[in-house]
Amino acid sequence: MKERTSFFFFLIIFFIARTLPAQNFTVAKTEPPNWWAGMKWDRIDLMVYGENLSGVTVESDDDALEILKTDNTQNGKYIFVTVRISPDISPGNYKLIFEKNDLTVEKYFPVLARTEKPEEHLGFNPHDVIYLITPDRFADGDTTNDRSPDGMPDQFDRSKELSRHGGDIAGIIKHLDYLESLGVTALWINPLTTNNTGISYHGYASTDFYGIDPRFGKNEDYRNLVSEAHKRGMKVILDHVSNHIGLNHPWMKNLPYPDWIHGTVKNHMNAMHEKMSYFDTHGANEVTVHLEQGWFVNEMPDLNQNNPHVANYIIQNTLWWMEYAGADGIREDTYSYVNPFFLSNWAANVLNEYPASNIVGEVWSGVPAYLAAYQEKSKVRDFNTYLPCVTDFALRDAFAAFLTGKDNLSRFYAVFSKDYLYENPDNLLTFIDNHDLVRPMLLADGDIDKVKLAYAILLTSRGIPEILYGDEIGMTGGKSDGKIREDFPGGWATDKTNKFNYDNLTPKEKDLFDTIRKLIELRKRFPALSSGKMTHFPVRNNVYYYIKSLGAKRYLVVLNGNNKRVIPNFDLLKNRMIEYADLVDLFTMKKYKSSEIVLQPYGFKILEIR
């Protein structure tokens, strides 16, 4: 009997020992890590990370931070706590009390004072010229962060296209004066958040939405970059991703909910790229489902924005970076692969918080009718997208066709003629290339005059122009992603030549740099070139004419798409009284009559009509 009693006593002790650890719990972190007093988005969906969180309750010790709802996940790794921040809340640390059985854990949630007014997030507009930077390939300003931390792939190796090359935030800050001298007014920087996934240098497979990748710097470094840019009159555009995450994101080890992503690692759809399916009256629903729910690549799990916690997480993350860093606007990646109703709500909330800002959505299509469907107040959508700006890939395709010799300047006339489709054609992001596209000097097979003509069109026509880093000195890159995103020569102390120094440029590089800098200067000095009404004329003999007018000011742009010298024919412009006007060349300030105008091969003139 004594032995039997001892056995049962042992079982009881063993059972208690096994169950006690399960009663303990830990709270590791919350996302967002803080919020701000006075924000319009004042109902925060806190994502709490920890262990054994099933059954945990949450309370606040201050009515200014009111707990509205708590959702516990089945795996016990997360709690979603919906809190309401009072409009009268004072900045400070507010206590959240987590309880389970007899255990209590207290965590403080900071509510900060706002450092900028919402209207100080200035967005971007046709008066701007955007400079696009892939940070890993621009400049290495801090060599101490070149080595990837333990457990992170892609070590520093500039000899390999897809490895880390060491560019960072410090490198961008170091060369802000160079960018100011070029004349650009806004910086679009590829994503800087942590990317703990293979081929990580590009930044588009985030594994921590709230942390800057340590190989780029720290969170405060990004905030400092924005501040330093603002001192020089330059804006900063946040490159954000709502569509997907990196495969090594911690969520993938324990998904908060089974429907947090579309499918699973082993069983998911691949993205179809038939973007027209959303508007195809004959289209199959299966195609649209593949577009929205398919994984862009197998290494990038596709987020399910129909889950309300996912939706709130993305909206809050966008607002957090705008507020924390003081960013001016947003470039949203892979826009057409995300649920359009979520994105409509996302954009509306961002612009409600920052009404002076702007958002450009990446919609990769060369069809104006399709692009126009994504811009706000579209004539073909049955709901408002609230997206102000769209990437103008139709115009980019015209640049590529001209530079490669596959088409002439008539392609530009055709593209601009379709501007009636857009709610606002001035609010389109225009570009010859970007970080995904072959550089203009390679497209033109090194013909600098062709490239200069392309930039004359980019910087005098409608829209918001963007220039990829290094294009101003004629970097050629290559056809693969790694070679397109080649290192800027001089961004590394070991580089043989520093091309950030104007004196080190070759005569050909100086010619291109000076032309682009002058075009940017003219765009600033003469507002009609950036925001004036555009009146263009059919292309004749591969010569294109358009007039930009604002108030009483008129400027004639004449472009020669031929590889031979041309005397332009102004017969189509007779009603514009060109033959009686004095035409002043804005590059040289030399005065002409129309009969005296001669265009060199692939030459152009920007003429004030007096």
Side-chain angles (χ1 to χ4, degrees):
M1 184 70 178
K2 184 177 180 181
E3 291 177 355
R4 190 174 179 184
T5 303
S6 299
F7 176 73
F8 280 113
F9 180 75
F10 171 78
L11 286 179
I12 292 170
I13 296 299
F14 177 77
F15 177 76
I16 293 173
R18 288 289 302 272
T19 57
L20 275 176
Q23 295 173 358
N24 295 334
F25 67 93
T26 60
V27 176
K29 66 174 181 177
T30 62
E31 290 178 339
N34 68 274
W35 208 246
W36 290 268
M39 296 276 282
K40 292 180 181 178
W41 185 277
D42 58 4
R43 185 182 169 120
I44 312 302
D45 201 21
L46 289 178
M47 186 175 186
V48 180
Y49 296 68
E51 295 290 337
N52 297 324
L53 295 176
S54 297
V56 170
T57 61
V58 188
E59 296 180 356
S60 168
D61 69 344
D62 195 312
D63 290 342
L65 193 73
E66 179 185 4
I67 306 293
L68 299 179
K69 183 182 177 184
T70 302
D71 288 340
N72 298 73
T73 60
Q74 289 185 349
N75 61 18
K77 301 288 185 179
Y78 314 91
I79 307 176
F80 290 90
V81 184
T82 306
V83 302
R84 180 180 178 274
I85 297 177
S86 168
D88 301 322
I89 198 168
S90 298
N93 289 320
Y94 287 82
K95 187 185 297 183
L96 294 175
I97 304 166
F98 299 83
E99 292 184 325
K100 181 180 178 180
N101 298 330
D102 296 326
L103 181 63
T104 298
V105 174
E106 295 180 351
K107 292 288 183 180
Y108 285 94
F109 182 72
V111 178
L112 308 178
R114 303 180 79 170
T115 57
E116 290 184 329
K117 298 178 180 178
E119 60 270 20
E120 292 177 316
H121 300 258
L122 298 175
F124 45 93
N125 57 59
H127 297 295
D128 287 309
V129 176
I130 298 171
Y131 192 84
L132 168 56
I133 295 173
T134 299
D136 183 64
R137 305 300 163 92
F138 187 63
D140 188 357
D142 180 5
T143 58
T144 65
N145 61 27
D146 287 349
R147 183 186 181 279
S148 296
D150 292 342
M152 298 187 79
D154 300 335
Q155 289 298 327
F156 176 89
D157 189 346
R158 291 182 69 196
S159 69
K160 295 180 180 179
E161 277 187 46
L162 302 182
S163 291
R164 288 275 177 164
H165 288 196
D168 49 31
I169 294 172
I172 300 173
I173 294 174
K174 182 178 179 181
H175 294 99
L176 287 176
D177 290 343
Y178 165 82
L179 298 175
E180 185 179 17
S181 73
L182 178 61
V184 297
T185 62
L187 306 180
W188 160 19
I189 303 167
N190 290 153
L192 291 160
T193 52
T194 298
N195 192 325
N196 187 16
T197 306
I199 312 179
S200 63
Y201 75 94
H202 55 70
Y204 285 100
S206 181
T207 54
D208 180 357
F209 277 95
Y210 283 95
I212 294 296
D213 193 296
R215 293 161 290 193
F216 290 144
K218 300 176 181 177
N219 283 19
E220 52 264 35
D221 295 328
Y222 180 45
R223 184 161 55 183
N224 184 41
L225 165 61
V226 175
S227 176
E228 290 298 319
H230 285 172
K231 290 177 184 177
R232 294 165 174 82
M234 287 184 278
K235 306 167 183 176
V236 176
I237 298 168
L238 171 71
D239 201 345
H240 190 262
V241 186
S242 295
N243 183 60
H244 53 262
I245 58 177
L247 192 60
N248 289 340
H249 195 293
W251 291 336
M252 297 303 294
K253 293 181 180 178
N254 288 286
L255 289 174
Y257 294 98
D259 67 346
W260 194 258
I261 62 172
H262 292 121
T264 66
V265 173
K266 294 183 178 180
N267 183 21
H268 60 263
M269 292 184 289
N270 294 316
M272 285 188 177
H273 303 291
E274 305 299 332
K275 307 178 191 74
M276 288 298 293
S277 63
Y278 275 125
F279 319 108
D280 183 358
T281 55
H282 312 292
N285 181 59
E286 292 89 340
V287 179
T288 302
V289 170
H290 269 273
L291 174 66
E292 182 185 321
Q293 298 184 17
W295 290 27
F296 198 71
V297 295
N298 289 332
E299 293 75 26
M300 295 179 179
D302 198 77
L303 291 172
N304 176 21
Q305 296 83 13
N306 286 322
N307 180 305
H309 291 304
V310 174
N312 285 336
Y313 185 97
I314 294 169
I315 293 170
Q316 291 171 178
N317 179 255
T318 313
L319 296 175
W320 190 89
W321 278 114
M322 288 286 287
E323 192 70 21
Y324 172 83
D328 295 284
I330 299 165
R331 181 265 185 185
E332 190 65 22
D333 184 63
T334 50
Y335 201 88
S336 51
Y337 294 87
V338 183
N339 181 295
F341 299 102
F342 160 76
L343 282 176
S344 174
N345 182 49
W346 169 83
N349 277 290
V350 171
L351 294 172
N352 182 51
E353 198 73 59
Y354 306 105
S357 188
N358 198 1
I359 305 170
V360 57
E362 183 202 24
V363 182
W364 196 327
S365 171
V367 181
Y370 177 71
L371 294 170
Y374 274 89
Q375 196 175 40
E376 63 182 353
K377 303 175 184 176
S378 169
K379 305 174 181 67
V380 299
R381 297 299 285 261
D382 55 1
F383 69 97
N384 192 353
T385 66
Y386 293 102
L387 178 66
C389 181
V390 181
T391 48
D392 191 354
F393 274 92
L395 184 59
R396 182 268 162 185
D397 289 351
F399 281 119
F402 167 70
L403 290 171
T404 56
K406 293 179 180 178
D407 209 339
N408 61 23
L409 296 183
S410 296
R411 181 77 167 262
F412 294 95
Y413 179 82
V415 169
F416 291 133
S417 295
K418 296 180 178 66
D419 278 0
Y420 67 90
L421 294 165
Y422 298 104
E423 189 277 332
N424 182 3
D426 285 324
N427 208 356
L428 298 174
L429 187 73
T430 57
F431 50 97
I432 303 173
D433 67 338
N434 61 24
H435 61 293
D436 292 320
L437 298 167
V438 174
R439 290 178 179 267
M441 193 61 81
L442 185 59
L443 290 171
D445 196 23
D447 192 326
I448 188 173
D449 293 321
K450 255 191 168 183
V451 172
K452 285 158 58 178
L453 180 66
Y455 276 104
I457 298 172
L458 179 72
L459 292 164
T460 62
S461 58
R462 55 87 173 127
I464 308 168
E466 166 259 298
I467 299 169
L468 178 62
Y469 74 98
D471 280 349
E472 72 276 10
I473 59 171
M475 284 169 55
T476 56
K479 294 184 178 179
S480 65
D481 285 347
K483 289 188 176 179
I484 289 169
R485 305 158 189 166
E486 64 178 330
D487 296 349
F488 194 110
W492 284 254
T494 55
D495 288 351
K496 293 180 180 179
T497 307
N498 180 10
K499 299 292 186 178
F500 286 110
N501 185 336
Y502 181 83
D503 293 337
N504 293 333
L505 300 182
T506 66
K508 187 176 179 179
E509 290 167 344
K510 285 181 179 178
D511 184 16
L512 183 56
F513 182 91
D514 290 342
T515 300
I516 293 175
R517 178 165 59 180
K518 184 66 175 181
L519 286 166
I520 294 173
E521 177 196 331
L522 294 178
R523 188 177 177 89
K524 291 178 180 177
R525 282 178 55 198
F526 304 100
L529 296 179
S530 60
S531 57
K533 174 180 169 55
M534 182 174 175
T535 304
H536 68 164
F537 301 86
V539 174
R540 295 289 184 264
N541 300 318
N542 207 15
V543 178
Y544 188 26
Y545 313 80
Y546 52 85
I547 294 172
K548 297 295 292 292
S549 56
L550 186 65
K553 297 291 185 178
R554 293 190 302 157
Y555 303 88
L556 172 65
V557 181
V558 191
L559 307 135
N560 176 19
N562 301 284
N563 62 356
K564 62 183 179 181
R565 193 166 164 270
V566 166
I567 298 174
N569 185 338
F570 291 100
D571 286 351
L572 281 174
L573 284 72
K574 280 188 175 179
N575 290 338
R576 307 290 165 172
M577 308 297 287
I578 299 298
E579 65 268 37
Y580 302 111
D582 288 329
L583 303 175
V584 179
D585 186 332
L586 296 186
F587 265 75
T588 64
M589 298 311 294
K590 185 176 179 180
K591 189 183 296 184
Y592 295 91
K593 291 296 184 183
S594 61
S595 59
E596 300 171 327
I597 300 294
V598 177
L599 297 176
Q600 297 303 317
Y602 299 123
F604 64 90
K605 288 195 180 296
I606 305 170
L607 303 158
E608 183 178 5
I609 303 170
R610 293 182 181 175

Coordinates of all heavy atoms in Angstrom, one line a residue, residues 15-16 18-26 51-54 56 99-103:
F15 N 3.0 15.3 -13.1 CA 2.0 16.0 -13.8 C 2.1 17.5 -13.6 O 2.0 18.3 -14.5 CB 0.6 15.5 -13.5 CG -0.5 16.3 -14.1 CD1 -0.8 16.0 -15.5 CD2 -1.2 17.2 -13.4 CE1 -1.8 16.7 -16.1 CE2 -2.2 17.9 -14.1 CZ -2.5 17.7 -15.4
I16 N 2.3 17.9 -12.3 CA 2.5 19.3 -12.0 C 3.7 19.9 -12.7 O 3.7 21.0 -13.2 CB 2.5 19.5 -10.5 CG1 1.2 19.1 -9.8 CG2 2.9 20.9 -10.1 CD1 1.2 19.1 -8.3
R18 N 5.0 18.9 -15.4 CA 4.8 19.0 -16.8 C 3.9 20.2 -17.2 O 4.0 20.8 -18.3 CB 4.2 17.7 -17.4 CG 5.1 16.6 -17.4 CD 6.2 16.7 -18.5 NE 5.6 16.9 -19.8 CZ 5.3 15.8 -20.6 NH1 5.6 14.6 -20.2 NH2 4.8 16.0 -21.8
T19 N 2.9 20.5 -16.3 CA 2.0 21.5 -16.6 C 2.4 22.9 -16.2 O 1.9 23.9 -16.8 CB 0.6 21.2 -16.0 OG1 0.8 21.1 -14.5 CG2 0.0 19.9 -16.5
L20 N 3.3 23.1 -15.2 CA 3.7 24.4 -14.8 C 4.3 25.2 -15.9 O 4.0 26.4 -16.0 CB 4.6 24.3 -13.6 CG 3.9 24.2 -12.2 CD1 5.0 24.0 -11.1 CD2 3.1 25.4 -11.9
P21 N 5.3 24.7 -16.7 CA 5.9 25.5 -17.7 C 4.8 26.0 -18.7 O 5.0 27.1 -19.3 CB 6.9 24.6 -18.4 CG 7.2 23.6 -17.3 CD 5.9 23.4 -16.5
A22 N 3.8 25.2 -19.0 CA 2.8 25.6 -19.9 C 2.0 26.8 -19.4 O 1.4 27.5 -20.2 CB 1.9 24.4 -20.3
Q23 N 1.9 27.0 -18.1 CA 1.2 28.1 -17.5 C 2.0 29.4 -17.6 O 1.4 30.5 -17.6 CB 0.8 27.8 -16.0 CG -0.1 26.6 -15.9 CD -0.3 26.2 -14.4 OE1 0.3 26.9 -13.5 NE2 -1.1 25.2 -14.2
N24 N 3.3 29.3 -17.6 CA 4.1 30.5 -17.8 C 4.0 31.0 -19.2 O 3.8 30.3 -20.2 CB 5.6 30.1 -17.5 CG 5.8 29.7 -16.0 OD1 5.0 30.1 -15.2 ND2 6.8 28.9 -15.8
F25 N 4.3 32.3 -19.4 CA 4.2 32.9 -20.7 C 5.2 34.0 -20.7 O 5.6 34.5 -19.7 CB 2.8 33.3 -21.1 CG 2.3 34.5 -20.3 CD1 2.5 35.8 -20.7 CD2 1.7 34.3 -19.1 CE1 2.1 36.9 -20.0 CE2 1.2 35.4 -18.3 CZ 1.4 36.7 -18.8
T26 N 5.6 34.4 -21.9 CA 6.5 35.5 -22.1 C 6.0 36.4 -23.2 O 5.3 36.0 -24.1 CB 7.9 35.0 -22.6 OG1 7.8 34.3 -23.8 CG2 8.6 34.1 -21.5
E51 N 5.5 33.6 -26.0 CA 5.4 32.2 -25.9 C 4.3 31.9 -24.9 O 4.0 32.6 -24.0 CB 6.7 31.5 -25.4 CG 7.9 31.6 -26.3 CD 7.7 30.8 -27.6 OE1 7.0 29.8 -27.5 OE2 8.4 31.1 -28.6
N52 N 3.5 30.8 -25.2 CA 2.4 30.3 -24.3 C 1.4 31.4 -24.1 O 0.9 31.6 -22.9 CB 3.0 29.8 -23.0 CG 3.9 28.6 -23.2 OD1 3.6 27.8 -24.0 ND2 4.9 28.5 -22.4
L53 N 1.1 32.2 -25.1 CA 0.1 33.3 -25.0 C -1.3 32.9 -25.0 O -2.2 33.8 -24.8 CB 0.4 34.3 -26.1 CG 1.8 35.0 -26.0 CD1 2.0 35.9 -27.2 CD2 2.0 35.8 -24.7
S54 N -1.6 31.6 -25.3 CA -3.0 31.2 -25.3 C -3.6 31.4 -23.9 O -3.1 31.0 -22.9 CB -3.1 29.7 -25.7 OG -2.6 29.5 -27.0
V56 N -4.0 34.2 -22.4 CA -3.6 35.4 -21.8 C -4.6 36.6 -22.0 O -5.1 36.7 -23.1 CB -2.2 35.9 -22.3 CG1 -1.8 37.3 -21.8 CG2 -1.1 34.8 -21.9
E99 N -2.0 38.9 -18.3 CA -2.3 38.0 -17.1 C -2.7 36.7 -17.6 O -3.4 36.5 -18.6 CB -3.4 38.6 -16.2 CG -2.9 39.9 -15.5 CD -4.0 40.4 -14.5 OE1 -5.2 40.2 -14.9 OE2 -3.7 40.9 -13.5
K100 N -2.3 35.7 -16.9 CA -2.7 34.3 -17.1 C -2.5 33.5 -15.9 O -1.4 33.5 -15.3 CB -1.9 33.7 -18.3 CG -2.3 32.2 -18.6 CD -1.5 31.7 -19.8 CE -1.8 30.3 -20.2 NZ -1.0 29.8 -21.3
N101 N -3.6 32.9 -15.3 CA -3.5 32.3 -14.1 C -3.0 33.2 -13.0 O -3.5 34.3 -12.8 CB -2.7 31.0 -14.1 CG -3.3 30.0 -15.1 OD1 -4.5 30.0 -15.3 ND2 -2.5 29.2 -15.7
D102 N -1.9 32.9 -12.3 CA -1.4 33.8 -11.3 C -0.2 34.6 -11.8 O 0.5 35.3 -11.0 CB -0.9 33.0 -10.1 CG -2.2 32.3 -9.4 OD1 -3.2 32.9 -9.5 OD2 -2.0 31.2 -8.9
L103 N 0.1 34.5 -13.1 CA 1.3 35.2 -13.6 C 0.9 36.5 -14.3 O -0.1 36.6 -15.0 CB 2.1 34.3 -14.6 CG 3.3 34.9 -15.2 CD1 4.4 35.2 -14.1 CD2 3.9 34.0 -16.3

